[in-house]
Amino acid sequence: MHDDLSPLCGRFLTAADLLGRRWTGVILRILLDGPRRFGELTEAIGTISERVLSERLKDLEAEGIIERHVDVGPPIRSEYRLTQKGQDFWKVIDELGKWAERWVELPPATGSAKGVAAKAARAAPRKRKTA
Amino acid sequence: MHDDLSPLCGRFLTAADLLGRRWTGVILRILLDGPRRFGELTEAIGTISERVLSERLKDLEAEGIIERHVDVGPPIRSEYRLTQKGQDFWKVIDELGKWAERWVELPPATGSAKGVAAKAARAAPRKRKTA
């Protein structure tokens, strides 16, 4: 019953589980516009706690979707950027954005979001050729 | 700063938040193959509790993505099916599946999933014209 079917099934479940963690889609959306520092991500998302953002970034790093790049400076700076595996996620995010544009109606009071987040979410993700 | 940019931003955040609830992607994936009864969904997913599945279905119904159809019978039967808004989600799920196929490596012990889930996750979602 689940011989040659199971690998793809397991893959889909893994991917859905990954995206099914709060903020993951938003983090990927922002990083598709380029590398961001931790503080820039918290500012862009606005309503995420530092603890939760830190957990999500660790998850994504463990999955090989983002990587933390450290510039030894001075001053020392680190930023998060998408790996090739992460970059390749743009089509999913792009389709999610298109769907949202077609179907999501906003209640008048909750339509706005601040600064970087608004800009990041509006711009179309950069389209890249898949490997 | 967030005048004409904000509506789309809010839409994307809403859509990402919706998909960022565990099992949502998997439930939509299964329903893209056709209506399913509650018991069929629990069987297909395998590891979801009835309480959590019930919550997710209520969320999706409240968002207008699925609808519960009751056949008065006898016997009375009810099943969940995608609305047009839900059907239109197939591209997101399709791209997620493609990404998973390219990038997700399965550990040998966790590659399998049971019966309906395996079949549902393998078959390509039915492609529909967007409204």
Side-chain angles (χ1 to χ4, degrees):
Chain A
M1 183 68 101
H2 53 90
D3 35 67
D4 65 327
L5 309 186
S6 53
L8 181 50
C9 172
R11 285 192 180 99
F12 182 82
L13 291 175
T14 301
D17 185 52
L18 182 80
L19 199 56
R21 294 176 204 164
R22 208 172 176 210
W23 302 116
T24 300
V26 177
I27 293 167
L28 294 176
R29 177 67 197 80
I30 293 168
L31 292 179
L32 277 166
D33 280 336
R36 293 285 187 277
R37 298 169 69 183
F38 189 90
E40 291 173 327
L41 285 169
T42 52
E43 190 193 350
I45 301 173
T47 53
I48 194 171
S49 74
E50 292 193 356
R51 184 183 60 78
V52 172
L53 176 58
S54 180
E55 279 174 15
R56 283 304 162 279
L57 292 172
K58 277 180 190 157
D59 289 345
L60 290 168
E61 205 176 346
E63 297 281 350
I65 289 172
I66 66 171
E67 58 192 2
R68 186 163 166 266
H69 175 78
V70 179
D71 182 343
V72 291
I76 296 177
R77 286 173 50 127
S78 72
E79 60 182 18
Y80 296 88
R81 54 174 67 164
L82 296 173
T83 61
Q84 184 61 42
K85 182 177 177 180
Q87 298 281 7
D88 196 36
F89 213 81
W90 77 265
K91 281 187 184 176
V92 180
I93 299 296
D94 192 43
E95 289 297 344
L96 185 61
K98 287 177 186 168
W99 180 86
E101 206 170 347
R102 284 193 296 269
W103 291 101
V104 177
E105 286 176 34
L106 293 175
T110 61
S112 67
K114 282 188 284 186
V116 182
K119 195 176 165 190
R122 181 182 179 275
R126 278 183 254 162
K127 293 182 171 57
R128 290 177 177 81
K129 286 171 186 168
T130 56
Chain B
M1 182 70 102
H2 52 89
D3 34 67
D4 65 327
L5 309 188
S6 52
L8 182 50
C9 172
R11 285 192 181 99
F12 182 83
L13 292 174
T14 301
D17 184 53
L18 182 80
L19 199 57
R21 293 177 205 163
R22 207 171 176 212
W23 301 116
T24 300
V26 177
I27 292 167
L28 294 176
R29 176 69 197 81
I30 294 168
L31 291 180
L32 277 166
D33 280 336
R36 293 285 186 277
R37 299 169 68 183
F38 189 91
E40 291 173 327
L41 284 169
T42 52
E43 190 194 350
I45 301 173
T47 53
I48 194 171
S49 74
E50 292 193 357
R51 184 184 59 80
V52 172
L53 176 59
S54 180
E55 280 174 14
R56 284 303 161 279
L57 293 172
K58 277 179 190 160
D59 289 345
L60 290 168
E61 207 177 344
E63 297 282 350
I65 289 172
I66 65 171
E67 58 192 3
R68 184 162 167 266
H69 175 78
V70 179
D71 183 342
V72 291
I76 295 178
R77 286 174 49 127
S78 72
E79 61 182 18
Y80 296 88
R81 53 175 68 164
L82 296 172
T83 61
Q84 184 60 42
K85 182 177 176 180
Q87 298 281 5
D88 196 36
F89 212 82
W90 75 264
K91 281 188 183 174
V92 180
I93 299 296
D94 192 44
E95 289 297 343
L96 186 61
K98 287 179 186 167
W99 180 87
E101 207 171 345
R102 285 194 296 268
W103 290 102
V104 177
E105 286 176 33
L106 293 174
T110 62
S112 67
K114 283 189 282 187
V116 182
K119 195 174 165 191
R122 179 181 180 275
R126 277 184 254 164
K127 293 180 171 56
R128 289 177 179 80
K129 286 173 188 169
T130 56

